[in-house]
């Protein structure tokens, strides 16, 4: 197959040859006999995005998301590889837990990795016997699933991961620094009417940098490769960089702030929480100038019934896997971000950090994981149009550029209207 006349992120217009699921040539390519051609019409061709932080909820919470719905949502947003987090039921904290997830993940229509998690009763022996994508997210404070662990366990877990050469991804918040008084008394309101700003006041910004410093310190002592998940503050990003760690930011910490909580209510409750508009802008600046390595979604779907509760009863987390690339391309169209930055933070950098040499690039030898975007076809994001089982988005009404089609290893997994019959594989096997 030949994809003709594709504009790549650096502005070149090229042809791309795909054979047996791989890219075999990029450049000015003459068609060969009987070769199928897809005319890209000078639209933007990006490597399939790699979202290194999703919660596809299966096994255990199939009412929120499944591997089928989560992976379809990803594909419809130009994402062709995901890494799934361990706070499922059973938790992915033993070989058995890993196997239970691997069985479900076989239904994914995109490629994937499976992370191992850490709890006091984990079984590192059998867990490290499995092909882990990463150890993590390791919860330094409780979040959905209450998997927060103490400093000693974190250190011994990081040591083990370091020995095994497995990267460690960290949910960095220090619960000792939370302001419990912020969520005491009558908070009033349910769902969108709840005063969710209290959540941001409670899980204070200062709690992030403190935990990041602790995590990078443990990285230095143990030799483990540390990657900070969902950094939400410029202080957290700077502490990660200073300590030699890589870091990711979510779309919600780039595009939403505490100012949006009066509309979102509990639909804007997540960990770490939304920050001030000033901190949001500082995060965007660090994304644009290269200080943030990766955008990953922390796709954490919950049903509207679950969100339509009081601030304290509603679960933390928002969906995002389908809207990540569309939002970033929307920002690129507005001139806030270069297309090369978008490509790097959603594809090339995650591939480099998590050792996926076959992914994240449009060059000969790489997997033909590709998505085509018409930058003139930005449209309004609507929860009703998305494919996650949860049926809502915190980005309702924002503008995004969705893929015309998405290809996994040369097969059309999303043609803009329908999903192909495509089977994903574990990228570590
Ligand atoms: N981010 C969240 O608020 N929630 C995540 C867990 C997590 O990533 O902390 C979830 O699994 O729901
Ligand atoms: Zn987390
Ligand atoms: Zn998470």
């Amino acid at each position: 197959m030949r994809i003709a006349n594709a504009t790549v992120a650096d502005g070149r217009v090229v042809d791309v040859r795909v054979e047996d699921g791989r890219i075999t040539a990029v450049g000015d390519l003459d068609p060969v006999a009987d070769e199928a051609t897809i005319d890209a019409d000078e639209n933007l061709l990006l490597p399939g995005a790699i979202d290194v932080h999703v919660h596809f909820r299966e096994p255990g919470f199939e009412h929120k998301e499944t591997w089928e719905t989560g992976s379809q949502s990803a594909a419809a947003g130009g994402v062709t590889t995901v890494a799934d987090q361990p706070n499922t039921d059973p938790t992915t904290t033993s070989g058995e837990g890993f196997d239970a997830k691997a069985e479900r993940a076989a239904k994914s229509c995109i490629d994937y990795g499976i992370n191992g998690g850490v709890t006091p009763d984990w079984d590192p022996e059998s867990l490290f016997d499995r092909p882990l994508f990463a150890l993590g997210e390791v919860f330094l404070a409780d979040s959905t699933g209450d998997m927060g662990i103490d400093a000693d366990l974190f250190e011994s877990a990081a040591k083990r991961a370091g020995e095994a050469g497995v990267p460690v991804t960290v949910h960095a918040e220090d619960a000792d620094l939370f302001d419990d008084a912020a969520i005491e008394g009558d908070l009033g309101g349910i769902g969108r009417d709840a005063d969710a700003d209290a959540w941001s006041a409670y899980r204070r910004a200062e709690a992030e940098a403190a935990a990041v410093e602790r995590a990078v310190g443990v990285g230095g002592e143990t030799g483990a490769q540390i990657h900070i998940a969902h950094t939400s503050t410029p202080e957290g990003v700077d502490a990660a960089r200073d300590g030699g760690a890589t870091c990711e930011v979510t779309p919600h910490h780039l595009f939403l702030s505490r100012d949006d909580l009066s509309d979102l209510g509990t639909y804007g409750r997540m960990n770490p929480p939304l920050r001030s508009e000033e901190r949001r802008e500082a995060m965007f600046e660090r994304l644009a100038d290269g200080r943030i390595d990766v955008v990953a979604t922390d796709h954490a779907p919950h049903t509207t019934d679950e969100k339509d509760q009081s601030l304290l009863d509603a679960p933390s987390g928002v969906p995002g896997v389908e809207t990540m690339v569309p939002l970033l391309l929307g920002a690129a169209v507005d001139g806030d971000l270069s297309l090369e930055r978008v490509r790097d933070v959603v594809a090339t950098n995650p591939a480099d950090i998590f050792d996926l040499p076959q992914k994240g690039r449009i060059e000969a030898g790489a997997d033909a994981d590709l998505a085509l975007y018409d930058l003139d076809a930005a449209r309004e994001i609507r929860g009703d149009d998305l494919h996650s089982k949860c049926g809502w988005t915190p980005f309702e009404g924002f503008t995004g550029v969705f893929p015309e089609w998405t290809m996994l290893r040369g097969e059309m997994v999303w043609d803009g209207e329908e999903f192909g019959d495509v089977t994903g594989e574990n990228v570590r096997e």
Side-chain angles (χ1 to χ4, degrees):
M1 172 189 7
R2 190 178 64 114
I3 301 164
N5 305 313
T7 305
V8 287
D10 63 15
R12 285 176 302 139
V13 178
V14 298
D15 308 317
V16 177
R17 176 156 289 127
V18 174
E19 291 168 289
D20 297 328
R22 293 200 171 216
I23 296 168
T24 53
V26 179
D28 194 3
L29 308 174
D30 290 331
V32 297
D34 297 336
E35 188 177 41
T37 297
I38 298 176
D39 191 353
D41 218 6
E42 299 200 1
N43 285 314
L44 175 70
L45 188 68
L46 287 181
I50 302 166
D51 184 352
V52 297
H53 194 138
V54 304
H55 299 263
F56 279 177
R57 302 298 192 204
E58 202 183 0
F61 304 100
E62 292 80 1
H63 65 287
K64 298 176 196 273
E65 194 78 283
T66 64
W67 276 93
E68 187 179 5
T69 56
S71 66
Q72 290 187 345
S73 186
V79 173
T80 50
T81 303
V82 291
D84 190 63
Q85 304 297 326
N87 56 340
T88 42
D89 183 16
T91 57
T92 318
T93 51
S94 67
E96 220 175 303
F98 182 98
D99 296 344
K101 180 164 292 181
E103 201 184 308
R104 303 301 187 93
K107 280 184 300 180
S108 177
C109 68
I110 58 166
D111 285 353
Y112 55 87
I114 296 174
N115 282 4
V118 185
T119 51
D121 64 350
W122 70 320
D123 182 25
E125 213 57 56
S126 62
L127 188 63
F128 278 103
D129 199 38
R130 302 300 190 277
L132 299 181
F133 183 83
L135 189 71
E137 62 182 291
V138 180
F139 291 92
L140 299 189
D142 274 344
S143 188
T144 308
D146 294 338
M147 288 173 69
I149 60 166
D150 66 25
D152 287 346
L153 181 53
F154 176 53
E155 198 172 321
S156 68
K159 187 157 178 283
R160 252 199 126 103
E163 286 161 5
V166 171
V168 181
T169 71
V170 183
H171 179 124
E173 287 184 283
D174 184 341
D176 288 345
L177 297 179
F178 289 175
D179 180 7
D180 297 330
I183 50 165
E184 276 162 16
D186 180 19
L187 291 166
I190 62 159
R192 293 192 183 270
D193 297 326
D195 170 20
D197 193 64
W199 200 252
S200 298
Y202 161 54
R203 297 181 79 118
R204 295 164 59 228
E206 291 73 13
E208 180 167 274
V212 171
E213 277 166 28
R214 196 145 62 76
V216 296
V218 167
E221 285 157 28
T222 59
Q225 178 193 338
I226 303 288
H227 173 81
I228 308 296
H230 47 47
T231 49
S232 60
T233 63
E235 296 89 340
V237 171
D238 297 347
R241 292 184 60 78
D242 290 348
T246 52
C247 67
E248 75 197 27
V249 62
T250 67
H252 45 276
H253 292 113
L254 290 170
F255 293 97
L256 300 171
S257 73
R258 286 172 81 158
D259 292 0
D260 295 295
L261 286 170
S262 50
D263 291 333
L264 288 169
T266 56
Y267 289 78
R269 180 185 141 167
M270 81 290 283
N271 305 322
L274 295 179
R275 306 301 188 186
S276 66
E277 183 59 21
E278 197 184 349
R279 281 202 169 89
R280 182 193 74 77
E281 283 170 13
M283 292 299 281
F284 209 101
E285 193 183 307
R286 281 162 176 73
L287 176 74
D289 71 18
R291 281 177 281 175
I292 292 173
D293 306 286
V294 169
V295 178
T297 63
D298 194 11
H299 178 80
H302 298 286
T303 64
T304 54
D305 278 353
E306 290 165 334
K307 283 294 197 183
D308 284 332
Q309 300 186 73
S310 72
L311 181 63
L312 296 189
D313 289 336
S316 294
V318 297
V321 72
E322 191 165 343
T323 45
M324 171 177 73
V325 181
L327 284 167
L328 292 172
L329 289 177
V333 168
D334 289 345
D336 297 335
L337 218 50
S338 75
L339 292 173
E340 288 172 293
R341 264 319 274 155
V342 175
R343 173 200 64 198
D344 288 351
V345 295
V346 302
T348 317
N349 292 353
D352 288 347
I353 292 166
F354 291 93
D355 192 24
L356 302 171
Q358 78 280 25
K359 301 290 193 193
R361 40 191 39 93
I362 300 177
E363 63 187 35
D367 285 352
D369 297 351
L370 300 163
L372 190 75
Y373 299 88
D374 177 356
L375 294 179
D376 294 326
R379 61 177 161 91
E380 194 178 311
I381 295 175
R382 290 161 23 106
D384 280 350
D385 295 336
L386 303 177
H387 300 83
S388 166
K389 199 166 190 175
C390 75
W392 61 277
T393 170
F395 304 109
E396 188 78 31
F398 281 62
T399 300
V401 181
F402 288 83
E404 303 295 303
W405 51 253
T406 305
M407 191 181 276
L408 178 75
R409 286 180 278 102
E411 290 188 90
M412 223 25 114
V413 57
W414 169 246
D415 67 6
E417 280 171 19
E418 283 177 10
F419 298 100
D421 186 14
V422 176
T423 307
E425 288 175 0
N426 186 326
V427 292
R428 290 283 189 244
E429 277 174 338

